Amino acid sequence: MFPQFRCKTLFICLIILCLTLLSPAPGLSVTAADRSCPQPASLRVPGAEHQKHACLDDLTTPGLLRSGHTVQADWAGLHSVQTPPPTRPVPGIQIDGYFPDTSRFNTNHGWNHDAQFVIRLPEQWNGKLIITGAPGNRRQYALDFIISDWAVSRGYAFAATDKGNSGTSFYQDGNEPGGAVGEWHQRVTELTKAAQATVGRHYGEQVKYTYITGISNGGYLTRYALENHPELYDGGVDWEGTLFTPEHNLLTYLPAALKHYPAYKQGDARAAGAMIRAGFQPGSQFLWDYHYLVYWDLTQRIYREAFDPGYDGDLEAGIPFCPSGTPGCDTDYDYHSRPPQVKEAIRKVSLDGNIGKPMITLHGTMDTLLPIRTDSDLYSRMIRQAGRGKNHRYYVVEGGTHTDSLYDAHPDKLRPILPCYWKSLDRLEDWVEKGKKPPQNRHIPMEKEKPVTGCSM
C-alpha cells in the first residue's frame, strides 16, 4: 500500500520515502561469515526451488545490516525510530530462498522471483518456531525489526514469506479475481510445513510449539491460518489484521474516504460526519491528509483491481486521485451494487471467525487505514458468534494507529503498539504452554511514562 504521489511538505516526503517499496531493492550478500557451518544437505528446505545459507555472528537487525542479510527498505516505517534495537548479538544460520512460482515482483537478491522466504536458526534454540507473512505489499524481510528481532533474541526459529506476490502491482498475479490474495494462504501453509521440517532436522528434534503472527495483511494471514489450518499451529497474535468478508472489507468504506475527504479539506463540516459514519474514528482528523495522500487512494485502486478488475474497463487499477464523475473512478465505487462474482471472489478468501487455536488481537483506536470499527470490532464479534470466544482475547490500544512510525510525528496524540504486541506474545506463550489465561478483553490506556517501551496491559 505504497503509492506514487505529490509531496506537499518535506515531512510527508520523508515519511513516504521510508514507506515506499516502488524501487528495486539491492541484492543481498549471502556469503557465509567465518563461523562453523553445517553442510547444505542438512539445511535443505523441502520444496524450495533455490536457496542459500549463511552462518552469521548476529541474526538481529544490527548484525544483519552489517552482513547484508536484510533489506531495510522492507521494514522501514513500521516502528518508531525511538524503539531501541537489540544490543545482544544472536549467532546462528540464515536460509534465503524461494519456492517454485511464475511471478516476478520480488527483486530481493536480484532473483526477480516471488515466493521468497527467509528462515533463521539461532544457535541457542528454545524449541519453538514463529511463522509470519509480509504486511501490506512488502516482502519477506518486512518483519525483521518488529518480530524477528524479538523472536531470535528469545531463541525462536523464525520464518517469513513474501506471500507469493508483492508490490503495488500484486493484483497482476493469479488467474482469476481474488487469486493473488488466495495465493498468500498457500504460501504461508507451504512455508510453515517446510520450516517445521527444516527446523526439526537441523536441531535433531521436532518443534514443540509453532506460533503464527503478523501485522495488517500479516494479521489477516494469522486469522485465516487459525481458522483453516489450526492443526499446524499452537496459537497466534493478530496485530490489526485486514478483514475480508463479502459484507465487510476495504472496498466498503475506502470510497467514502476518497469522496468526502476533499470536501472536508475545503471546509465542509458535513463531509467529516460522512467520514465518521463510514467508520473512521472521531478525533482522527489530524491523520486524514496523510492517509489520503499515502494510503486510501492507492489501497482502494489496487485491491479493487484484485477483486473487481472489470470495474474500470481496460484501465489497470484506475486513475489516481480522480474526482467524482470521472469514468471508471474509484471515488464512485459502490461495492454493494457490483455483480455477484465480485462478492464471490472475496468470499473465497473470507474470514468466518471460527478460529481453532488461541489467538490475541490488538488494534489501535486511531488506525486510519483499517479503522477499528470496520475491522477488529467486527471480527471479534464474528469469533463470538462462531462460538470461539474462549479462544480469543481482544485488546484495544488507545492512541494506536496503523504504523508506529506515525507516533514520531504525533507523540502527543498517538502511542506505539509494538510494546503491547511483544507483551501479547508473552501472554500467548503463557496461555498455550502453561495454561495461564491472559487478561480478558480490555481497553489499554495511553502509555504516559515510557510509550516506546512500556505497555500497561
Side-chain angles (χ1 to χ4, degrees):
M1 305 177 187
F2 309 99
Q4 294 174 333
F5 55 88
R6 295 158 293 179
C7 286
K8 295 192 175 182
T9 71
L10 177 59
F11 175 74
I12 289 177
C13 289
L14 291 173
I15 290 182
I16 296 174
L17 179 62
C18 288
L19 291 175
T20 51
L21 295 179
L22 297 178
S23 58
L28 295 181
S29 168
V30 289
T31 302
D34 293 329
R35 300 188 63 83
S36 176
C37 219
Q39 293 299 313
S42 68
L43 298 172
R44 176 58 54 189
V45 178
E49 181 178 334
H50 179 73
Q51 68 172 74
K52 293 184 178 181
H53 77 280
C55 296
L56 304 175
D57 291 325
D58 189 7
L59 294 175
T60 69
T61 49
L64 296 173
L65 286 170
R66 288 192 298 270
S67 66
H69 289 82
T70 185
V71 175
Q72 190 169 9
D74 280 13
W75 45 269
L78 291 180
H79 61 277
S80 166
V81 296
Q82 301 176 54
T83 305
T87 57
R88 181 178 64 86
V90 179
I93 298 170
Q94 175 162 313
I95 307 172
D96 291 288
Y98 56 77
F99 295 106
D101 199 0
T102 57
S103 56
R104 299 179 176 276
F105 299 106
N106 192 336
T107 59
N108 282 345
H109 298 273
W111 288 339
N112 298 318
H113 196 290
D114 288 343
Q116 289 193 39
F117 63 83
V118 58
I119 298 174
R120 297 193 175 105
L121 307 168
E123 283 186 0
Q124 299 299 316
W125 183 49
N126 66 6
K128 309 174 196 179
L129 168 65
I130 280 186
I131 301 288
T132 191
N137 306 304
R138 301 187 184 219
R139 296 169 290 204
Q140 72 268 28
Y141 302 108
L143 289 312
D144 281 6
F145 189 96
I146 64 175
I147 297 179
S148 180
D149 280 356
W150 182 94
V152 298
S153 293
R154 288 169 174 254
Y156 276 90
F158 171 85
T161 171
D162 66 3
K163 308 194 302 288
N165 46 68
S166 58
T168 56
S169 298
F170 80 96
Y171 53 79
Q172 295 175 351
D173 202 10
N175 297 320
E176 60 182 6
V181 174
E183 184 182 350
W184 299 354
H185 306 298
Q186 171 198 341
R187 297 304 179 182
V188 169
T189 302
E190 176 181 54
L191 177 65
T192 299
K193 294 178 179 179
Q196 287 174 333
T198 303
V199 172
R201 184 168 58 248
H202 174 65
Y203 293 109
E205 59 181 278
Q206 290 186 337
V207 176
K208 295 184 180 70
Y209 297 99
T210 300
Y211 297 110
I212 184 166
T213 189
I215 175 176
S216 190
N217 281 340
Y220 160 64
L221 295 175
T222 299
R223 297 173 175 184
Y224 191 97
L226 294 183
E227 288 181 3
N228 293 275
H229 292 288
E231 74 281 358
L232 294 177
Y233 309 97
D234 295 285
V237 176
D238 151 38
W239 180 351
E240 65 197 17
T242 312
L243 181 63
F244 286 112
T245 77
E247 297 78 26
H248 303 286
N249 54 73
L250 295 165
L251 307 181
T252 61
Y253 65 85
L254 284 178
L258 301 183
K259 176 174 287 188
H260 297 296
Y261 175 74
Y264 162 78
K265 193 170 183 180
Q266 294 299 318
D268 186 344
R270 294 172 300 177
M275 294 274 290
I276 290 169
R277 287 192 297 274
F280 295 94
Q281 188 76 355
S284 65
Q285 286 90 328
F286 68 98
L287 294 169
W288 289 1
D289 189 62
Y290 173 80
H291 282 77
Y292 179 75
L293 287 171
V294 176
Y295 283 122
W296 294 338
D297 178 77
L298 180 73
T299 302
Q300 164 64 29
R301 289 187 293 103
I302 63 178
Y303 284 84
R304 190 269 306 151
E305 187 72 20
F307 291 105
D308 190 2
Y311 172 72
D312 56 357
D314 293 334
L315 294 174
E316 187 175 281
I319 304 169
F321 301 102
C322 54
S324 179
T326 305
C329 182
D330 278 272
T331 301
D332 297 322
Y333 187 75
D334 181 4
Y335 169 80
H336 295 293
S337 69
R338 297 299 296 156
Q341 56 264 36
V342 177
K343 283 81 170 179
E344 176 61 18
I346 290 183
R347 185 197 63 77
K348 292 179 180 179
V349 298
S350 285
L351 300 168
D352 59 20
N354 192 28
I355 56 173
K357 290 291 174 64
M359 185 176 75
I360 296 173
T361 293
L362 298 98
H363 209 116
T365 58
M366 288 291 147
D367 193 324
T368 312
L369 177 59
L370 305 178
I372 191 169
R373 290 189 291 146
T374 66
D375 195 284
S376 291
D377 284 356
L378 298 180
Y379 188 58
S380 178
R381 187 184 313 155
M382 289 168 58
I383 292 174
R384 294 194 303 272
Q385 291 172 344
R388 299 292 183 170
K390 66 179 181 180
N391 280 345
H392 190 231
R393 293 293 186 272
Y394 180 29
Y395 301 138
V396 175
V397 183
E398 180 66 31
T401 193
H402 198 69
T403 54
D404 278 2
S405 60
L406 288 173
Y407 164 77
D408 299 315
H410 305 282
D412 56 330
K413 298 177 181 178
L414 299 174
R415 59 87 47 86
I417 296 178
L418 185 56
C420 296
Y421 171 74
W422 286 337
K423 186 167 284 190
S424 293
L425 289 166
D426 290 333
R427 296 280 192 265
L428 181 67
E429 283 183 324
D430 288 344
W431 191 4
V432 171
E433 300 169 26
K434 302 176 183 177
K436 182 179 179 182
K437 294 183 178 180
Q440 292 297 319
N441 299 350
R442 62 178 51 190
H443 184 281
I444 301 173
M446 290 281 280
E447 197 72 30
K448 296 181 180 179
E449 296 299 323
K450 297 180 179 179
V452 177
T453 57
C455 179
S456 303
M457 64 176 289

